[in-house]
Amino acid sequence: MLKKGCPDEYPINLVVNGFEIAVFQLTNQDLVDWAYGYLYSEGLIDSANDVEAVEFNEGTGTIQVSLNNSFDPEQMFSKKKHYTAGCGRGVTFFSMTDVKNFKKVSSREKYSLSYLLKKRSEFAQNTPLYLETGGMHGACIIHEDGIITVREDIGRHNAVDKIIGYALRKRLQPERLVLLTTGRVSYEMLSKAAKFGFAVIGSRTAATKQAVQLARFLNIEVVGYLRGKMATVYTSSGRVYDDVTGTTVTSKSIERGEVLTIFN
């Protein structure tokens, strides 16, 4: 299928309490959600209540954020930077050791593989920027009632920050949501989801070994390669059950560090 246009990316300058954090390459859409999500993911805010105001000046490409809490830029930038893998190589200030200190996720929600596959397909049909250009990433949350909310961006990390920012602003309960992403689930992607408290993460593609190790440690279910009638379950938290083939998802093979791949 021929695409009509190229994906857009813009240099966006993030300024917090008058201090310039960095310039980010972003898709010029849902930038307020992104600001909330990024600040939360990097530990600059603990809730939406910490944000007094967010203003975007399209002319200068600047997002101005005013925080209610005390923001210490020297403390933030004294931390060691970790460059993320993949598209648009970003920076996070959380190491894997930091992420292991996050609160372990607790949730009694359970989902069938057929349900996740259905929602993944619905997600794919509701990504207008990708359908227009073929060059966008997306992130999606599945609400309790099955309704989905989608955010898109040129970068997979940005898309996840946008959907976390949306959920944060709406005061949604993360343990009752499912996060879906088009991008690879690497350790820093897992850390964003873990910090917010998602119990189940699904992706169209793979999860890295480091992300799976962290997910097991933090009690998060990770399902990859959600495509058609295929899925790979990397973890064994008991929140995802296989109603596609009848194979037990919480099998000993997964507990030994292997994965369960479903084909039908």
Side-chain angles (χ1 to χ4, degrees), residues 123-167:
F123 171 26
Q125 296 168 22
N126 286 274
T127 51
L129 295 180
Y130 174 79
L131 294 174
E132 174 70 20
T133 67
M136 286 286 178
H137 276 294
C140 159
I141 53 174
I142 307 172
H143 299 260
E144 292 178 79
D145 57 4
I147 299 297
I148 65 170
T149 299
V150 177
R151 291 292 182 267
E152 294 183 90
D153 197 272
I154 192 73
R156 60 192 174 97
H157 303 89
N158 299 336
V160 170
D161 281 334
K162 285 180 178 181
I163 204 66
I164 289 175
Y166 165 83

Side-chain angles (χ1 to χ4, degrees), residues 196-215:
F196 187 64
F198 288 111
V200 178
I201 306 170
S203 174
R204 183 181 181 276
T205 183
T208 66
K209 183 177 180 179
Q210 289 80 4
V212 172
Q213 289 173 341
L214 279 173

Side-chain angles (χ1 to χ4, degrees), residues 70-126:
S70 57
F71 168 60
D72 184 355
E74 292 185 4
Q75 182 180 6
M76 176 183 178
F77 288 103
S78 65
K79 296 180 180 180
K80 185 177 181 180
K81 295 180 181 179
H82 297 265
Y83 288 94
T84 61
C87 57
R89 193 179 69 163
V91 174
T92 180
F93 293 93
F94 283 122
S95 68
M96 193 173 295
T97 301
D98 294 328
V99 180
K100 284 185 176 180
N101 290 323
F102 287 176
K103 183 180 179 180
K104 293 189 177 183
V105 174
S106 176
S107 173
R108 295 182 179 180
E109 302 294 324
K110 295 182 182 293
Y111 306 91
S112 68
L113 278 177
S114 63
Y115 178 77
L116 294 179
L117 288 165
K118 177 183 176 181
K119 290 301 173 181
R120 169 66 187 95
S121 177
E122 185 179 341
F123 171 26
Q125 296 168 22
N126 286 274

Side-chain angles (χ1 to χ4, degrees), residues 161-232:
D161 281 334
K162 285 180 178 181
I163 204 66
I164 289 175
Y166 165 83
L168 199 69
R169 294 174 66 201
K170 296 296 183 180
R171 273 72 172 178
L172 302 181
Q173 297 180 335
E175 67 276 8
R176 296 184 178 181
L177 307 172
V178 174
L179 171 65
L180 299 181
T181 175
T182 59
R184 182 180 62 255
V185 180
S186 48
Y187 104 81
E188 71 278 3
M189 290 280 278
L190 192 281
S191 74
K192 290 177 183 292
K195 190 172 189 304
F196 187 64
F198 288 111
V200 178
I201 306 170
S203 174
R204 183 181 181 276
T205 183
T208 66
K209 183 177 180 179
Q210 289 80 4
V212 172
Q213 289 173 341
L214 279 173
R216 288 174 179 151
F217 183 79
L218 295 172
N219 197 32
I220 298 171
E221 201 83 279
V222 178
V223 185
Y225 292 110
L226 283 165
R227 305 176 183 180
K229 294 185 177 181
M230 171 185 173
T232 296

Side-chain angles (χ1 to χ4, degrees), residues 62-76:
T62 301
I63 300 176
Q64 295 272 0
V65 181
S66 298
L67 299 183
N68 295 316
N69 62 9
S70 57
F71 168 60
D72 184 355
E74 292 185 4
Q75 182 180 6
M76 176 183 178

